[in-house]
Amino acid sequence: MAYKGFVAAALTLATLSNAKPLNRRVACGDGNTASNEVCCQLFPLVDLIQSELFDGGECGEEVHESLRLTFHDAIGFSPTAGGGGADGSIITFADTETAFHANGGIDEIVGVQAQFISDHNVTISPGDFIQLAGAVGVSNCGGAPRIPFFFGRPAPKAASPDGLIPEPFDSVDKILARFSDAGFSPAEVVALLASHSVAAADNVDPTIPGTPFDSTPSLFDSQFFVEVLMKGTAFPGTGNNEGEAKSPAAGEIRIESDELLARDSRTACEWQSFVDNHSKLMSAFSDAMVKLSVLGHDINDLVDCSEVIPQAQPLPDNAGPHLLPATSLDDIEASCDSTPFPSLTALPGPATSIPPVPPS
């Protein structure tokens, strides 16, 4: 799909295919093998990340926040406004970037990762660490794709400019324009929002931290894309005059920008296409995440170390897509005019409240 605002740092997927690992494997000292010897140092680091940052391999708050951090660091890039993209500036220049309004609440995971880097004398760049931790974290969520990881980002030179990170109550026009400036199509924007399938909100309403965006926040599945299209009621306490977040179920929150993107003519059909096509969801998210992770860099200057990323477990046999209990297809606000909404059934039982994601 064509898009404008292309720059060398915002690579097409065709360019990504040129960065192939060497055929000859290198034996690492710990029994692993790699396509390049520089990748060997990452295997023990991944083990440390899993055991100490992600509590032995959970798909909980630290994973959610680490995935959020990959985006907030990388999207700080513009061919006109500047910014180094996925360079780790949000850690190196934390005093500046965590003060941005759009980065509200991200100071906690920035602090956690910075402390981890210091405690373990991590020698890779902060840009590499942020993207590595995000890819490893997602692998802990059932149904997730294996996100390719490219190694070798240099240290950041300056803080990102303010105003480059989309916010929850931004209009669709503003969001798509910001992403287009960074080299992303509307379809890629929707693909990146699959991250909300394993996410929770701490700051949309600070009185209810850990509120998930869908009913299955530990699974990388299509429930987020189903539930954002369900009729919802205003969620109390957002305190934002620009709009109100909504929810299709007690204990779940929906941000306004997700609701609008799911129903906009430019993105609605792509949104709906993920509802019953998990393979497409994994592929599109993986491709978009790789593109995001190398913003500000030439991928040909990086080393493909994707083999260090664990494989995620498949979705459970009883996973969706499905409607929430006590609902029907009449509760779906289908917005793709060209394709009927898939036929889904509701989970049995009465309506239930979605529990919050517990803090780490």
Side-chain angles (χ1 to χ4, degrees):
M1 183 175 292
Y3 57 87
K4 59 184 179 179
F6 176 81
V7 293
L11 301 167
T12 64
L13 299 182
T15 303
L16 295 178
S17 67
N18 293 328
K20 297 177 181 178
L22 300 174
N23 291 327
R24 185 172 59 189
R25 306 292 294 178
V26 174
C28 303
D30 56 3
N32 289 296
T33 62
S35 58
N36 190 303
E37 63 182 355
V38 302
C39 304
C40 289
Q41 64 185 294
L42 300 178
F43 286 106
L45 178 57
V46 167
D47 290 341
L48 270 175
I49 289 171
Q50 287 284 54
S51 63
E52 298 193 20
L53 185 60
F54 298 141
D55 196 24
E58 51 80 42
C59 180
E61 183 182 30
E62 298 294 0
V63 167
H64 301 167
E65 290 301 302
S66 292
L67 184 56
R68 181 185 179 215
L69 188 60
T70 65
F71 172 75
H72 281 247
D73 183 53
I75 201 63
F77 167 84
S78 167
T80 56
D87 63 353
S89 64
I90 200 168
I91 286 180
T92 302
F93 302 99
D95 288 348
T96 297
E97 294 195 30
T98 60
F100 297 164
H101 184 267
N103 282 335
I106 211 161
D107 57 317
E108 182 175 347
I109 189 61
V110 167
V112 167
Q113 290 199 9
Q115 190 65 52
F116 183 99
I117 290 170
S118 175
D119 289 347
H120 298 287
N121 195 27
V122 174
T123 57
I124 69 174
S125 72
D128 277 344
F129 185 84
I130 287 172
Q131 298 304 323
L132 178 65
V136 171
V138 171
S139 75
N140 295 333
C141 306
R146 189 186 202 184
I147 306 296
F149 172 71
F150 293 84
F151 174 66
R153 296 164 184 79
K157 297 179 180 178
S160 169
D162 197 0
L164 296 181
I165 302 169
E167 300 205 49
F169 292 98
D170 284 348
S171 68
V172 173
D173 286 347
K174 186 175 181 179
I175 291 170
L176 295 184
R178 171 75 274 272
F179 274 99
S180 177
D181 178 55
F184 289 84
S185 69
E188 289 169 326
V189 174
V190 176
L192 286 172
L193 286 172
S195 61
H196 286 182
S197 73
V198 285
D202 286 333
N203 293 284
V204 174
D205 183 344
T207 68
I208 46 171
T211 307
F213 290 115
D214 73 359
S215 58
T216 56
S218 64
L219 295 177
F220 184 90
D221 59 7
S222 62
Q223 279 307 117
F224 166 74
F225 292 93
V226 175
E227 292 169 28
V228 170
L229 280 171
M230 299 187 73
K231 296 175 182 176
T233 57
F235 200 94
T238 59
N240 192 304
N241 293 327
E242 296 179 76
E244 291 183 300
K246 294 183 179 180
S247 168
E252 180 179 321
I253 195 167
R254 176 191 307 165
I255 60 177
E256 185 176 278
S257 57
D258 287 345
E259 179 171 70
L260 296 176
L261 283 161
R263 292 159 176 78
D264 190 275
S265 61
R266 292 163 288 185
T267 47
C269 289
E270 188 69 13
W271 188 285
Q272 182 178 294
S273 73
F274 292 138
V275 167
D276 60 349
N277 193 335
H278 187 251
S279 294
K280 178 183 177 182
L281 178 62
M282 290 194 298
S283 177
F285 179 69
S286 178
D287 289 344
M289 280 297 295
V290 171
K291 184 172 173 177
L292 180 77
S293 75
V294 297
L295 275 177
H297 308 283
D298 184 341
I299 199 170
N300 295 300
D301 294 335
L302 306 178
V303 178
D304 187 347
C305 292
S306 300
E307 63 263 31
V308 307
I309 307 299
Q311 293 277 8
Q313 294 296 312
L315 287 174
D317 291 339
N318 62 349
H322 54 254
L323 302 176
L324 295 175
T327 66
S328 70
L329 285 173
D330 290 339
D331 293 298
I332 293 288
E333 296 178 335
S335 302
C336 176
D337 293 336
S338 61
T339 307
F341 192 83
S343 180
L344 303 179
T345 58
L347 291 178
T352 57
S353 180
I354 311 302
V357 174
S360 299

